[in-house]
Amino acid sequence: MRIFAIGRNYAEHISELNNERPDEPVIFTKPDTALIRKNAPFYYPTISKDIHYEVELVLRICKEGKAIEEKFAHKYYDSIGIGIDFTARDLQQKAKEKGLPWDIAKGFNGSAPVSDTFHPVSNFKDLHNINFKLEVDGVVKQEGNTSHMLFNFDYIVSYLSNFFTLKTGDLIFTGTPKGVGPVALGNRLSAYIENEKLLEFEVK
Ligand code: MG
């Protein structure tokens, strides 16, 4: 199982971090040791003093494929969940300044809490109009809608599959909307698709 992630996929989030709008999806990966399931707590790591939450919809790959044409991409993912792309913003900033890779800023232990529940794609009326949000201690911090993605699910799956053979069970984080910010010890994070809470855990 691999975890792929797309950076800079929502225009207003690109602006808040003063990033350039990409011509193609920005891709990075996290190792499987980043994954947290079952609403287990996130333990604030000692490697950073500025861990940010980024709530994202997560696709699950259901069929092996490579060089998938965009028009067939929908056959390769069958369900959608929600996760947090935890980012060590201080380490990422240093890496960006030096043009170095993001691995340690994005892939550290526990950097990918993901909901246990994934809803079948067929449950959604329109994949281009899915609302999702993040609350921290009951206060809404991020709200997104898939209509604002620069690159939609089919494009992302097709694009990724040109570089990496996608396998059943792989997860794809599809980008975060605006509103990212730091977490602190004791915070309780709750992530929703539409109005259903699918993920909830504490920062310890
Ligand atoms: Mg992200």
Side-chain angles (χ1 to χ4, degrees), residues 6 28 54 56 85 87 106 175-176:
I6 311 301
F28 57 93
E54 296 188 357
E56 310 198 3
D85 166 22
T87 303
K106 286 287 197 181
T176 199

Side-chain angles (χ1 to χ4, degrees), residues 17-201:
L17 293 185
N18 294 316
N19 285 322
E20 233 171 80
R21 196 185 170 107
D23 299 327
E24 291 290 1
V26 174
I27 307 293
F28 57 93
T29 63
K30 295 173 182 258
D32 58 5
T33 46
L35 201 60
I36 301 182
R37 298 312 275 272
K38 300 187 192 306
N39 289 333
F42 170 72
Y43 289 94
Y44 203 109
T46 55
I47 49 125
S48 170
K49 301 239 174 313
D50 194 24
I51 302 284
H52 278 205
Y53 51 76
E54 296 188 357
V55 72
E56 310 198 3
L57 293 177
V58 180
L59 302 181
R60 184 157 56 201
I61 296 296
C62 60
K63 183 173 157 179
E64 183 166 319
K66 61 179 169 183
I68 300 162
E69 280 183 64
E70 195 179 342
K71 64 182 175 194
F72 298 126
H74 64 96
K75 298 180 175 181
Y76 290 81
Y77 58 95
D78 64 352
S79 54
I80 301 171
I82 197 159
I84 309 294
D85 166 22
F86 273 128
T87 303
R89 199 68 76 199
D90 44 0
L91 301 182
Q92 188 196 35
Q93 192 52 39
K94 263 194 219 168
K96 276 186 190 171
E97 284 162 12
K98 296 183 179 169
L100 294 171
W102 294 0
D103 296 49
I104 60 170
K106 286 287 197 181
F108 55 86
N109 288 335
S111 59
V114 172
S115 60
D116 287 317
T117 300
F118 273 62
H119 285 306
V121 165
S122 56
N123 280 13
F124 296 90
K125 266 192 254 158
D126 180 2
L127 294 186
H128 302 108
N129 184 18
I130 302 174
N131 293 297
F132 60 106
K133 67 177 177 185
L134 174 73
E135 291 177 358
V136 178
D137 297 334
V139 178
V140 177
K141 295 289 188 181
Q142 288 190 273
E143 283 181 291
N145 181 286
T146 51
S147 63
H148 298 136
M149 290 194 296
L150 301 186
F151 304 106
N152 66 29
F153 295 154
D154 289 350
Y155 190 89
I156 290 168
V157 167
S158 168
Y159 182 82
L160 264 175
S161 75
N162 290 324
F163 304 92
F164 309 102
T165 299
L166 300 177
K167 293 182 176 177
T168 300
D170 287 347
L171 300 177
I172 304 174
F173 279 69
T174 58
T176 199
K178 71 170 176 186
V180 301
V183 286
L185 296 186
N187 281 164
R188 189 154 198 88
L189 275 63
S190 312
Y192 298 72
I193 296 182
E194 299 299 343
N195 286 316
E196 186 187 4
K197 190 191 292 181
L198 293 176
L199 176 67
E200 182 173 34
F201 62 92

